[in-house]
């Protein structure tokens, strides 16, 4: 298949590109910055220049495509801009006669409006897909294991044997690898007969913080302890990374999610999903072994 891939140079979209290449398909990487796609081009992918807010560029990019792997990038934090970009992408696919759109929602989709722009936007995009008449399938993941590679977690794992994350210690979460989400997206692209369908997806295990740390311990071969990261500390790390004020929105989002925890499912039984989308899932222990962060020289000296 010729598949137009949105967000192709990021972690999630890149996983889709890898899976498409492994399955023998022809990915077309939509990007504003072709230099970022050079690694994929070397392995057979093609680049098309486009911008979510430039409807004409999306129509040109969608022409001749069999299917579209769609997601919204985090570079469009304004919900109105993001929704307009989504509508542009859907209309481009419709006008080009694309046979299937697979939408990776990049997070849980709720079955009601909750006056939270991040969650409501996902529902709005699905409504747009329904109205378009283009066959679609959604892949709706819970939480990505790659979030643990951020500076709020990885350095503490490497240097202090602490898995620090801003999730309540006793809140169970179905952590999953981005590679698995990419594989599920491609499995859906290969099965247009499933449209219209929505698949909530997660890791196969539903793990509290301490249970997550235990699985990571298995992968790293040493004991790691879970430590709930205070939201103020998490916000400070983001401020340091992206500039003052960057952490405020994330802190508010996490506070809201904690208050509404009963509305937000963070795990699903994957057995029925995998019957329709046959993908081999990555265990947390195997993921941790694959992405092991070496100990710092200082930490090694202390041991």
């Amino acid at each position: 298949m010729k598949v137009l891939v949105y967000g192709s140079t990021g972690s999630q979209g890149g996983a889709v590109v890898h899976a498409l290449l492994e399955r023998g398909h022809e990915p077309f990487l939509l990007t504003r910055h072709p230099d970022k796609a050079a690694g994929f081009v070397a392995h057979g992918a093609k680049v098309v220049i486009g911008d979510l807010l430039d409807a004409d560029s999306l129509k040109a990019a969608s022409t001749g495509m069999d299917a579209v792997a769609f997601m919204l990038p985090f570079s469009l934090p304004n919900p109105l801009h993001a929704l307009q970009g989504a509508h542009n992408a859907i209309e481009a696919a419709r006008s080009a006669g694309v046979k299937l759109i697979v939408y990776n929602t990049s997070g849980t989709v709720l079955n009601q409006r909750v006056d939270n722009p991040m969650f409501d936007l996902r529902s709005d995009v699905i409504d747009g897909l329904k109205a378009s008449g283009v066959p679609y399938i959604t892949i709706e993941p819970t939480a990505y294991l790659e979030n643990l590679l951020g500076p709020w977690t990885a350095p503490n794992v490497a240097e202090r044997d602490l898995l620090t994350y801003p999730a309540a210690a006793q809140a169970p979460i179905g952590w999953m690898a981005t590679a698995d989400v990419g594989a599920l997206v491609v499995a859906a692209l290969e099965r247009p007969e499933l449209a219209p369908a929505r698949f909530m997806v997660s890791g196969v295990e539903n793990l509290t913080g301490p249970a997550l740390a235990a699985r990571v311990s298995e992968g790293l071969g040493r004991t790691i302890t879970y430590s709930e990261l205070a939201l103020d500390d998490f916000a400070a790390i983001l401020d340091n990374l992206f500039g003052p004020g960057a952490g405020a929105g994330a802190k508010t989002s996490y506070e809201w999610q904690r208050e509404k925890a009963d509305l937000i499912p963070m795990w699903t039984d994957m057995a029925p999903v995998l019957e329709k989308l046959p993908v081999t899932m990555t265990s947390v222990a195997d993921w941790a072994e694959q992405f092991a962060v070496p100990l710092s020289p200082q930490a090694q000296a202390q041991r």
Side-chain angles (χ1 to χ4, degrees):
M1 291 183 296
K2 293 182 177 181
V3 182
L4 182 64
V5 184
Y6 286 77
S8 56
T9 58
S11 173
Q12 298 177 56
V16 174
V17 177
H18 278 298
L20 285 168
L21 290 170
E22 288 176 359
R23 297 285 296 169
H25 299 298
E26 192 174 4
F28 288 74
L29 283 56
L30 183 82
T31 180
R32 293 177 297 165
H33 306 290
D35 53 307
K36 293 183 178 180
F40 290 125
V41 172
H43 289 89
K46 295 179 172 62
V47 171
V48 290
I49 306 301
D51 187 308
L52 272 171
L53 298 181
D54 181 349
D56 289 338
S57 73
L58 300 191
K59 289 179 180 179
S62 300
T63 301
M65 295 297 111
D66 297 306
V68 168
F70 181 68
M71 61 171 292
L72 283 168
F74 290 112
S75 59
L76 286 174
N78 185 318
L80 293 178
H81 287 174
L83 186 58
Q84 183 60 57
H87 285 326
N88 289 345
I90 294 168
E91 173 56 24
R94 188 200 64 76
S95 63
V98 167
K99 300 179 180 68
L100 179 67
I101 297 175
V102 176
Y103 169 36
N104 170 16
T105 62
S106 302
T108 304
V109 179
L110 305 184
N111 292 319
Q112 63 187 81
R113 298 192 68 83
V114 290
D115 293 326
N116 180 295
M118 178 176 66
F119 286 97
D120 290 344
L121 173 62
R122 296 166 187 160
S123 297
D124 289 338
V125 175
I126 293 174
D127 288 343
L129 287 166
K130 291 177 181 176
S132 72
V134 180
Y136 71 91
I137 299 171
T138 66
I139 302 295
E140 305 171 12
T142 50
Y144 290 100
L145 281 163
E146 278 71 13
N147 290 345
L148 305 180
L149 298 177
W152 43 82
T153 303
N156 287 325
V157 172
E159 299 170 14
R160 302 168 60 201
D161 289 339
L162 287 178
L163 196 162
T164 50
Y165 197 78
Q170 296 308 313
I173 297 173
W175 295 91
M176 66 188 309
T178 56
D180 292 354
V181 178
L184 288 163
V185 167
V186 173
L189 286 165
E190 293 176 336
R191 293 164 175 81
E193 69 277 5
L194 295 177
R198 291 178 54 184
F199 293 99
M200 180 181 174
V201 299
S202 73
V204 295
E205 298 177 283
N206 195 21
L207 302 174
T208 64
L212 172 66
R215 297 294 185 272
V216 171
S217 299
E218 292 174 26
L220 298 183
R222 65 183 199 274
T223 301
I224 306 297
T225 303
Y226 188 80
S227 178
E228 185 177 324
L229 182 63
L231 293 182
D232 284 337
D233 293 339
F234 180 53
I237 293 171
L238 294 180
D239 283 344
N240 187 53
L241 280 175
F242 304 113
K251 178 183 176 182
T252 299
S253 177
Y254 272 89
E255 288 174 337
W256 185 90
Q257 290 182 64
R258 289 185 181 187
E259 291 174 3
K260 306 292 185 181
D262 57 324
L263 294 178
I264 308 172
M266 295 301 292
W267 178 83
T268 190
D269 180 3
M270 285 296 291
V273 176
L274 297 176
E275 287 181 3
K276 295 183 177 180
L277 303 175
V279 166
T280 300
M281 300 292 287
T282 306
S283 72
V284 173
D286 286 346
W287 178 90
E289 182 178 7
Q290 179 183 357
F291 286 95
V293 180
L295 289 171
S296 69
Q298 180 181 0
Q300 290 178 10
Q302 292 173 348
R303 289 173 178 268

